[in-house]
């Protein structure tokens, strides 16, 4: 089975390099324009419950049923939400978070990076297990850059750093599940670029 792990299309906050996290920011007009419907015979696509992921899934897979899963949503950036580096660079809490490898919970955020990764990967594992049990040919997931980083850093053997695992907006990692049942690992076989 091939797994396509998509990042949602472009938003205005992506262009402005703002921390979006759990804020429900929609796709930009340009972000919608850049996405193209894909010709894969899939009956269902799984998305986070944030509108930018759902809208991306509807554009990419117009004939599929969209199932939303809260646990696939992005990490909460708490007080940093809606701001970018230029606005936060002199904030002592932000500097401490960055200097700590962005691993701690953001002020007024919901979880640290380990908790976020555990949440996402537990849900992702269940989806893979279910799809394999059903002999699915494809598993399509449309979520977020953080979701990609969590899954890829845990389930793909590589020397890449956590933050290296992210496609451009609308892009996807393509993963082969051949090793999944043996050792809970996936093989990266390619990427799909929508830009």
């Amino acid at each position: 089975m091939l797994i396509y792990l998509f990042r949602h299309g472009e938003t205005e906050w992506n262009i402005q390099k703002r921390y979006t996290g759990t804020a429900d920011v929609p796709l930009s007009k340009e972000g919608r324009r850049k996405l193209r419907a894909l010709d894969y015979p899939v009956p269902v696509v799984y998305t986070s419950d944030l509108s930018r992921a759902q809208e991306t899934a509807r554009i990419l897979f117009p004939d599929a049923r969209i199932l939303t899963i809260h646990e696939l949503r992005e990490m909460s950036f708490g007080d940093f939400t809606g701001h970018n580096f230029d606005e936060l660079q002199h904030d002592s809490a932000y500097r401490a978070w960055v200097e700590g490898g962005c691993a701690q919970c953001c002020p007024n955020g919901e979880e640290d990076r380990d908790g976020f990764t555990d949440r996402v990967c537990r849900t992702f594992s269940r989806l893979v297990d279910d799809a394999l049990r059903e002999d699915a040919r494809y598993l399509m997931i449309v979520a977020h850059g953080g979701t990609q980083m969590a899954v890829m850093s845990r389930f793909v053997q590589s020397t890449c750093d956590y933050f290296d695992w992210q496609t451009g907006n609308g892009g996807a990692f393509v993963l082969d599940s051949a090793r999944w049942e043996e050792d809970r690992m996936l093989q990266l076989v390619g990427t799909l670029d929508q830009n």
Side-chain angles (χ1 to χ4, degrees):
M1 177 180 71
L2 290 179
I3 302 164
Y4 286 70
L5 181 58
F6 285 89
R7 183 182 180 198
H8 62 79
E10 186 178 78
T11 70
E12 290 296 333
W13 281 17
N14 291 140
I15 295 166
Q16 298 164 9
K17 300 193 182 309
R18 296 186 182 282
Y19 289 98
T20 308
T22 55
D24 202 9
V25 177
L27 296 180
S28 66
K29 185 176 180 181
E30 181 67 8
R32 281 186 218 86
R33 188 194 65 76
K34 289 179 180 178
L35 296 172
R36 299 174 306 281
L38 300 173
D39 188 23
Y40 288 88
V42 293
V44 64
V45 176
Y46 299 93
T47 76
S48 91
D49 59 347
L50 297 172
S51 63
R52 59 192 182 271
Q54 294 174 45
E55 189 176 1
T56 299
R58 283 193 296 275
I59 294 169
L60 296 180
F61 304 100
D63 298 325
R65 187 167 51 122
I66 308 301
L67 293 181
T68 61
I69 301 176
H70 174 83
E71 291 79 11
L72 291 174
R73 67 175 24 208
E74 182 63 273
M75 187 172 114
S76 168
F77 293 110
D79 293 348
F80 306 147
T81 301
H83 300 283
N84 60 28
F85 173 79
D86 290 339
E87 296 166 350
L88 293 169
Q89 64 182 322
H90 301 297
D91 181 302
S92 60
Y94 177 72
R95 285 197 316 271
W97 181 67
V98 170
E99 289 165 8
C102 306
Q104 301 304 312
C105 185
C106 299
N108 293 308
E110 297 170 4
E111 57 201 346
D112 62 14
R113 188 170 76 205
D114 286 343
F116 165 73
T117 299
D118 288 344
R119 165 176 56 85
V120 166
C121 291
R122 188 171 42 252
T123 301
F124 176 85
S125 294
R126 180 178 52 80
L127 292 174
V128 174
D129 289 340
D130 290 349
L132 287 171
R133 201 169 19 260
E134 295 167 8
D135 287 325
R137 186 172 172 195
Y138 301 107
L139 172 59
M140 300 294 184
I141 299 172
V142 180
H144 307 274
T147 310
Q148 287 181 324
M149 289 186 281
V151 167
M152 299 299 288
S153 65
R154 178 154 303 169
F155 296 125
V156 176
Q157 193 169 9
S158 172
T159 58
C160 288
D161 181 69
Y162 179 90
F163 296 105
D164 294 333
W165 289 117
Q166 186 174 209
T167 65
N169 288 107
F173 289 112
V174 184
L175 304 160
D176 188 307
S177 66
R179 292 177 48 195
W180 182 257
E181 291 178 320
E182 177 186 336
D183 61 8
R184 306 301 269 188
M185 295 300 289
L186 300 167
Q187 180 182 354
L188 176 63
V189 295
T191 58
L192 186 65
D193 185 11
Q194 280 279 315
N195 292 317

